[in-house]
Amino acid sequence: MASVRAVLIDIDGVLTVSWEPLPGAVAALREVREAGFGVALVTNTTSRTRASIASVLKGAGFTVSAQDILTAPAVTAAYLAERCPGARCTLLNSGDITEDLAGVTLVGVESEDVDVVVLGGAGPEFGYAALNQAFAHLQRGARLVAMHRNLYWRTDDGLQLDSGAFLAGLEKAARTEAEVTGKPSPAFFEAALTRLGVGADEALMVGDDIESDVLAAQRAGLTGVLVKTGKYLPETHRSASGAPDHVVESFADLPALLGESVDQ
């Protein structure tokens, strides 16, 4: 841990569940900041903008700003601007994130002229008619860009199905493969490291998704820490494609893991 200068932190399932802070998370984040570590909150959340997320977290007691937050929609906007400049994109997503998609030309899913089908987070919008229309665009040659591959996330009501389940069906039916912009994409982690001004060997990633958060970060050269909160399941841990560098009960244990300098 001696080389660690910055910490990347997933939000949902690590700091909060259904936007309510998990026990000890507020204090632990404060300790990490006070110890001088750089902090980036990195999330595949697609239901809120960065400003909205910051506002909710502040209301829950966390000391954060929108500049501390990197979301899959924000990275997707940059990706589309670079790889598909001027493309007409149809967005299938639950929640209004247009503020974080500045510069992206958005058209309705019913539009005939679509260059890119963009999948965000699942919700009521992922009905048969919308998915079938997206499938039609893909058959006509549209590119498929997905903000993430998450199969589910945890809420107060338990695990809820996410867009990764629908994405797999679209890929198979349309015989295509999505370009993924959020976690576990290496580009997502690279964007966070650039923002913090550190190398991969100087950063640690904390997440509740062993594949998309932890092992993906480790493949990108970061140290991975798995927390047993949020979507964590023992069976998923056992059947994972690799082993986390560290496993802790919750984010409240992070200061002690980072060392005595932050262990109050």
Side-chain angles (χ1 to χ4, degrees):
M1 289 295 171
S3 64
V4 174
R5 295 174 49 211
V7 182
L8 281 60
I9 308 163
D10 185 27
I11 298 174
D12 192 22
V14 178
L15 298 180
T16 67
V17 167
S18 293
W19 301 105
E20 292 296 322
L22 285 163
V26 171
L29 182 59
R30 182 174 60 249
E31 291 179 41
V32 170
R33 283 191 181 281
E34 290 176 349
F37 291 94
V39 169
L41 306 186
V42 292
T43 176
N44 277 347
T45 296
T46 55
S47 60
R48 296 174 180 268
T49 63
R50 295 166 61 233
S52 174
I53 292 171
S55 177
V56 172
L57 291 178
K58 284 181 183 177
F62 294 99
T63 304
V64 299
S65 69
Q67 287 67 42
D68 296 320
I69 301 168
L70 184 64
T71 65
V75 172
T76 300
Y79 181 91
L80 292 171
E82 178 184 352
R83 305 290 182 89
C84 315
R88 289 167 57 86
C89 306
T90 188
L91 172 66
L92 194 55
N93 181 68
S94 187
D96 183 5
I97 54 172
T98 52
E99 180 183 320
D100 283 347
L101 293 175
V104 177
T105 301
L106 295 175
V107 298
V109 71
E110 71 285 349
S111 175
E112 293 184 4
D113 186 11
V114 171
D115 302 309
V116 184
V117 173
V118 182
L119 258 63
E125 296 81 0
F126 280 60
Y128 177 80
L131 286 167
N132 194 48
Q133 189 63 62
F135 175 48
H137 293 316
L138 296 175
Q139 290 182 86
R140 289 194 288 266
R143 296 169 69 166
L144 179 58
V145 172
M147 295 188 188
H148 58 73
R149 287 189 178 277
N150 295 355
L151 294 173
Y152 50 80
W153 78 97
R154 182 173 294 280
T155 71
D156 287 339
D157 296 324
L159 296 180
Q160 303 289 310
L161 200 62
D162 208 344
S163 55
F166 302 100
L167 175 62
L170 282 175
E171 286 180 311
K172 189 166 185 178
R175 298 180 182 179
T176 189
E177 185 173 347
E179 304 162 48
V180 180
T181 54
K183 295 175 293 181
S185 166
F188 189 93
F189 295 105
E190 290 169 10
L193 294 173
T194 298
R195 178 170 296 191
L196 291 168
V198 298
D201 60 341
E202 300 174 301
L204 178 149
M205 172 69 206
V206 187
D208 65 326
D209 187 316
I210 189 169
E211 296 289 350
S212 293
D213 290 339
V214 180
L215 298 183
Q218 290 178 193
R219 287 192 292 272
L222 290 78
T223 298
V225 179
L226 177 67
V227 295
K228 294 184 177 182
T229 52
K231 68 172 67 173
Y232 174 87
L233 294 171
E235 55 267 35
T236 306
H237 188 174
R238 288 192 297 269
S239 63
S241 61
D245 292 316
H246 303 277
V247 181
V248 296
E249 291 298 318
S250 74
F251 186 76
D253 298 319
L254 186 66
L257 179 65
L258 286 171
E260 293 183 359
S261 63
V262 290
D263 191 10
Q264 303 296 317

